[in-house]
Amino acid sequence: MTNAMLEVKEIESFYDKSQALFGMSFSVRQGEFCTLIGRNGMGKTTTVKSIMGLLNPARGQVLFEGKPLHKLPPYQVARFGLGLVPEGRQIFTNLTVRENLTATARDAGGSDSKWTLERIFQLFPSLERRAKNLGSNLSGGEQQMLAIGRALMTNPRLLILDEATEGLAPLVRKEIWDCLAELKRMGQTVIVIDKNIASLLRLADNHHIVEKGKVVWSGSSASLKAQPELLERYVGV
Ligand code: ATP
């Protein structure tokens, strides 16, 4: 695809000698909201790590607007405008909410939507109420909102969320999905990994099904809804 923002091309990634990705390929257009779905252990998080420079693939390419990322360390990848909300909501527990948000604030460049503290507080009013609280004093849901807020404060051109609703109560989960819907409305380019397939089908433009370290099917929400056997076979729902 020529007009892709992100192209993951035939990457193979390893943990020591153990291979986790076997020719992983997919691409993401600007403004697209897409997902990686599949059973546990199929390579979704490894793909995210390989994009973000946390694990450099042994073979293949990761291109962002045509520029190679696959040999760069994470801080250089982030400078291109890639933001990650990692699995397990990693925030600074010894900093306040406000400090967490301002510590990582950065303009990765080129984004029309400039995120500020005020705009994050509009998106997540409960964070404003807790602005002076330490990260360690937040509920799981608030920590997740803070993790998303932190990533947005870098003004990412591409935002990747890995299991952002995992382990949260239904009401808080809904708040996170509402936030993602708002980001989509704003034209933010997003890759989401999540187990809530119904929400993903409602929100996402496209899906990539991951099985044994590679994409085995890609298509739109409408196309995936029309083929429930795919979800049954590869996701187990
Ligand atoms: P999950 O939803 O369980 O995180 P996933 O699709 O994200 O699943 P990965 O975490 O990418 O899957 O795992 C892909 C493969 O790599 C699995 O076989 C897993 O056991 C292996 N793996 C993941 N992390 C490591 C690690 N740090 N060291 C060694 N092997 C790992």
Side-chain angles (χ1 to χ4, degrees):
M1 197 186 287
T2 49
N3 63 346
M5 176 183 251
L6 177 78
E7 285 177 278
V8 175
K9 291 173 124 176
E10 296 285 326
I11 60 171
E12 297 187 23
S13 296
F14 292 73
Y15 294 100
D16 293 321
K17 290 195 177 111
S18 164
Q19 186 165 0
L21 298 185
F22 296 84
M24 167 67 60
S25 296
F26 66 97
S27 56
V28 184
R29 290 186 323 275
Q30 177 154 3
E32 184 179 342
F33 192 118
C34 73
T35 77
L36 299 179
I37 55 180
R39 289 197 176 83
N40 286 350
M42 289 301 169
K44 303 179 297 295
T45 297
T46 306
T47 302
V48 170
K49 286 185 188 164
S50 304
I51 294 169
M52 295 302 300
L54 295 161
L55 181 68
N56 291 134
R59 283 183 279 280
Q61 293 181 302
V62 178
L63 303 175
F64 188 73
E65 292 174 334
K67 299 181 197 82
L69 301 184
H70 47 273
K71 292 193 174 114
L72 301 180
Y75 75 94
Q76 285 186 7
V77 171
R79 279 194 202 143
F80 277 86
L82 283 84
L84 172 65
V85 180
E87 222 173 356
R89 46 189 102 106
Q90 294 167 22
I91 56 158
F92 298 117
T93 49
N94 55 342
L95 297 185
T96 65
V97 166
R98 184 183 291 271
E99 286 165 347
N100 261 283
L101 290 170
T102 50
T104 52
R106 187 167 52 84
D107 187 354
S111 167
D112 292 335
S113 53
K114 302 281 185 230
W115 286 95
T116 58
L117 204 55
E118 292 68 36
R119 290 188 60 208
I120 299 294
F121 286 158
Q122 275 167 13
L123 189 67
F124 295 121
S126 52
L127 287 186
E128 181 163 26
R129 289 192 290 276
R130 308 284 254 144
K132 293 188 180 133
N133 285 91
L134 290 179
S136 55
N137 290 338
L138 302 182
S139 69
E142 287 164 344
Q143 288 189 3
Q144 188 61 72
M145 291 170 203
L146 184 54
I148 296 173
R150 276 187 59 198
L152 288 174
M153 285 294 278
T154 68
N155 284 296
R157 316 241 351 255
L158 169 65
L159 178 66
I160 305 179
L161 299 108
D162 192 355
E163 305 277 11
T165 67
E166 178 88 353
L168 299 180
L171 264 180
V172 184
R173 228 182 273 163
K174 183 179 177 305
E175 205 169 333
I176 304 285
W177 288 115
D178 289 348
C179 152
L180 295 184
E182 174 67 11
L183 294 180
K184 177 179 169 149
R185 205 187 51 74
M186 292 169 59
Q188 173 73 51
T189 314
V190 181
I191 302 176
V192 181
I193 297 173
D194 204 276
K195 295 201 171 60
N196 190 328
I197 301 297
S199 297
L200 294 178
L201 283 171
R202 246 192 328 270
L203 261 187
D205 303 305
N206 289 309
H207 307 269
H208 306 288
I209 298 182
V210 179
E211 168 90 351
K212 296 187 182 147
K214 63 180 178 188
V215 168
V216 291
W217 183 91
S218 295
S220 66
S221 283
S223 169
L224 188 53
K225 272 185 214 158
Q227 301 176 78
E229 67 279 6
L230 283 173
L231 289 174
E232 210 171 294
R233 176 168 171 198
Y234 293 117
V235 189
V237 294

